[in-house]
Coordinates of all heavy atoms in Angstrom, one line a residue:
Y118 N -15.0 8.1 -14.7 CA -14.1 7.0 -15.2 C -13.2 6.4 -14.0 O -13.2 5.2 -13.9 CB -13.1 7.7 -16.2 CG -11.9 7.0 -16.5 CD1 -11.9 5.8 -17.4 CD2 -10.6 7.4 -16.0 CE1 -10.7 5.1 -17.6 CE2 -9.5 6.7 -16.3 CZ -9.5 5.6 -17.1 OH -8.3 4.9 -17.3
Y119 N -12.7 7.3 -13.2 CA -12.0 6.8 -12.1 C -12.8 6.0 -11.0 O -12.3 5.0 -10.5 CB -11.2 7.9 -11.4 CG -10.1 7.5 -10.4 CD1 -9.0 6.9 -10.8 CD2 -10.4 7.5 -9.0 CE1 -8.0 6.4 -9.9 CE2 -9.5 7.1 -8.1 CZ -8.3 6.4 -8.5 OH -7.4 5.9 -7.6
A120 N -14.0 6.6 -10.8 CA -14.8 5.8 -9.8 C -15.3 4.5 -10.3 O -15.2 3.5 -9.5 CB -16.1 6.7 -9.6
L121 N -15.5 4.3 -11.6 CA -15.8 3.0 -12.2 C -14.6 2.0 -12.1 O -14.9 0.8 -11.8 CB -16.4 3.1 -13.5 CG -17.7 3.8 -13.8 CD1 -18.0 4.1 -15.3 CD2 -18.8 3.0 -13.1
R122 N -13.4 2.6 -12.2 CA -12.3 1.7 -12.3 C -11.8 1.3 -10.9 O -11.3 0.3 -10.7 CB -11.1 2.4 -13.0 CG -11.2 2.5 -14.5 CD -9.8 3.1 -15.0 NE -8.7 2.3 -14.5 CZ -7.4 2.8 -14.5 NH1 -7.2 4.0 -14.9 NH2 -6.4 2.0 -14.0
T123 N -12.1 2.2 -9.8 CA -11.6 2.0 -8.5 C -12.6 1.5 -7.5 O -12.4 0.6 -6.7 CB -11.0 3.3 -8.0 OG1 -10.0 3.8 -9.0 CG2 -10.4 3.2 -6.6
Y124 N -13.8 2.1 -7.5 CA -14.7 1.8 -6.3 C -15.5 0.7 -6.6 O -16.3 0.2 -5.6 CB -15.6 3.1 -6.0 CG -14.7 4.2 -5.6 CD1 -14.4 5.3 -6.4 CD2 -14.1 4.2 -4.4 CE1 -13.6 6.4 -6.0 CE2 -13.3 5.2 -4.0 CZ -13.0 6.3 -4.8 OH -12.2 7.4 -4.4
L125 N -15.7 0.0 -7.8 CA -16.4 -1.1 -8.0 C -15.7 -2.3 -7.9 O -16.2 -3.4 -8.2 CB -17.2 -0.9 -9.4 CG -18.1 0.2 -9.5 CD1 -18.9 0.2 -10.9 CD2 -19.1 0.4 -8.4
K126 N -14.4 -2.2 -7.5 CA -13.6 -3.5 -7.4 C -13.5 -3.7 -5.7 O -13.7 -2.8 -5.0 CB -12.2 -3.2 -7.9 CG -12.3 -3.1 -9.4 CD -10.8 -2.9 -9.9 CE -10.8 -2.6 -11.4 NZ -9.4 -2.3 -12.0
P127 N -13.0 -4.9 -5.4 CA -12.9 -5.1 -4.0 C -11.8 -4.2 -3.4 O -10.9 -3.7 -4.1 CB -12.4 -6.5 -3.9 CG -12.9 -7.2 -5.2 CD -12.9 -6.1 -6.1
S128 N -11.9 -3.9 -2.1 CA -11.1 -2.9 -1.5 C -9.7 -3.6 -1.3 O -9.5 -4.8 -1.5 CB -11.6 -2.5 -0.1 OG -11.4 -3.5 0.9
R129 N -8.7 -2.8 -0.9 CA -7.3 -3.3 -0.6 C -7.3 -4.4 0.4 O -6.3 -5.1 0.5 CB -6.4 -2.1 -0.2 CG -6.8 -1.4 1.1 CD -5.9 -0.2 1.3 NE -6.3 0.5 2.5 CZ -6.1 0.4 3.8 NH1 -5.3 -0.7 4.1 NH2 -6.5 1.2 4.6
I130 N -8.3 -4.5 1.4 CA -8.3 -5.5 2.4 C -9.3 -6.6 2.0 O -9.6 -7.4 2.9 CB -8.5 -5.0 3.8 CG1 -9.9 -4.2 3.8 CG2 -7.4 -4.1 4.3 CD1 -10.3 -3.9 5.2
G131 N -9.9 -6.5 0.8 CA -10.8 -7.6 0.3 C -12.2 -7.3 0.5 O -13.1 -8.3 0.3
L132 N -12.6 -6.2 1.0 CA -14.1 -5.9 1.1 C -14.8 -5.8 -0.2 O -14.3 -5.2 -1.1 CB -14.3 -4.6 2.0 CG -13.7 -4.6 3.4 CD1 -13.9 -3.3 4.0 CD2 -14.5 -5.7 4.3
R133 N -16.0 -6.2 -0.3 CA -16.7 -6.1 -1.5 C -17.4 -4.7 -1.6 O -17.7 -4.2 -0.5 CB -17.7 -7.2 -1.6 CG -17.2 -8.6 -1.6 CD -18.3 -9.7 -1.6 NE -19.1 -9.6 -2.8 CZ -20.2 -10.3 -3.1 NH1 -20.6 -11.2 -2.2 NH2 -20.9 -10.1 -4.1
P134 N -17.6 -4.2 -2.7 CA -18.3 -3.0 -2.9 C -19.6 -2.9 -2.2 O -20.4 -3.9 -2.2 CB -18.4 -2.8 -4.4 CG -17.3 -3.6 -5.0 CD -17.2 -4.7 -4.0
S135 N -20.0 -1.8 -1.5 CA -21.3 -1.6 -0.9 C -22.0 -0.6 -1.6 O -21.6 -0.1 -2.7 CB -21.0 -1.2 0.6 OG -20.4 0.1 0.6
I136 N -23.2 -0.2 -1.1 CA -24.1 0.8 -1.7 C -23.3 2.1 -1.9 O -23.4 2.8 -2.9 CB -25.3 1.1 -0.8 CG1 -26.4 2.0 -1.5 CG2 -25.0 1.5 0.6 CD1 -26.9 1.5 -2.7
Y137 N -22.4 2.4 -0.9 CA -21.5 3.6 -1.1 C -20.7 3.6 -2.4 O -20.7 4.6 -3.1 CB -20.6 3.7 0.2 CG -19.3 4.2 0.0 CD1 -19.0 5.6 -0.1 CD2 -18.2 3.4 -0.1 CE1 -17.8 6.2 -0.3 CE2 -16.9 3.8 -0.3 CZ -16.7 5.3 -0.3 OH -15.4 5.7 -0.5
N138 N -20.2 2.5 -2.7 CA -19.4 2.4 -4.0 C -20.1 2.6 -5.2 O -19.6 3.2 -6.2 CB -18.7 1.0 -4.0 CG -17.8 0.8 -2.8 OD1 -18.2 0.4 -1.7 ND2 -16.5 0.9 -3.0
Y139 N -21.4 2.2 -5.2 CA -22.3 2.3 -6.4 C -22.8 3.7 -6.6 O -23.1 4.2 -7.6 CB -23.3 1.3 -6.4 CG -22.8 -0.1 -6.6 CD1 -22.7 -1.0 -5.5 CD2 -22.4 -0.6 -7.8 CE1 -22.2 -2.3 -5.6 CE2 -21.9 -1.9 -8.0 CZ -21.7 -2.7 -6.9 OH -21.3 -4.0 -7.0
L140 N -23.1 4.4 -5.4 CA -23.7 5.7 -5.3 C -22.7 6.8 -5.8 O -23.1 7.8 -6.4 CB -24.2 6.0 -4.0 CG -25.5 5.3 -3.5 CD1 -25.8 5.8 -2.1 CD2 -26.6 5.4 -4.5
I141 N -21.4 6.5 -5.6 CA -20.5 7.6 -6.2 C -20.6 7.8 -7.6 O -20.8 8.9 -8.1 CB -19.0 7.2 -5.6 CG1 -18.9 7.4 -4.1 CG2 -18.0 8.2 -6.4 CD1 -17.5 7.0 -3.6

Side-chain angles (χ1 to χ4, degrees):
Y118 162 76
Y119 188 73
L121 291 173
R122 285 188 56 201
T123 304
Y124 298 106
L125 300 189
K126 297 178 180 179
S128 76
R129 59 184 172 86
I130 60 172
L132 296 177
R133 297 179 62 184
S135 65
I136 185 66
Y137 145 81
N138 299 76
Y139 293 102
L140 289 182
I141 290 177

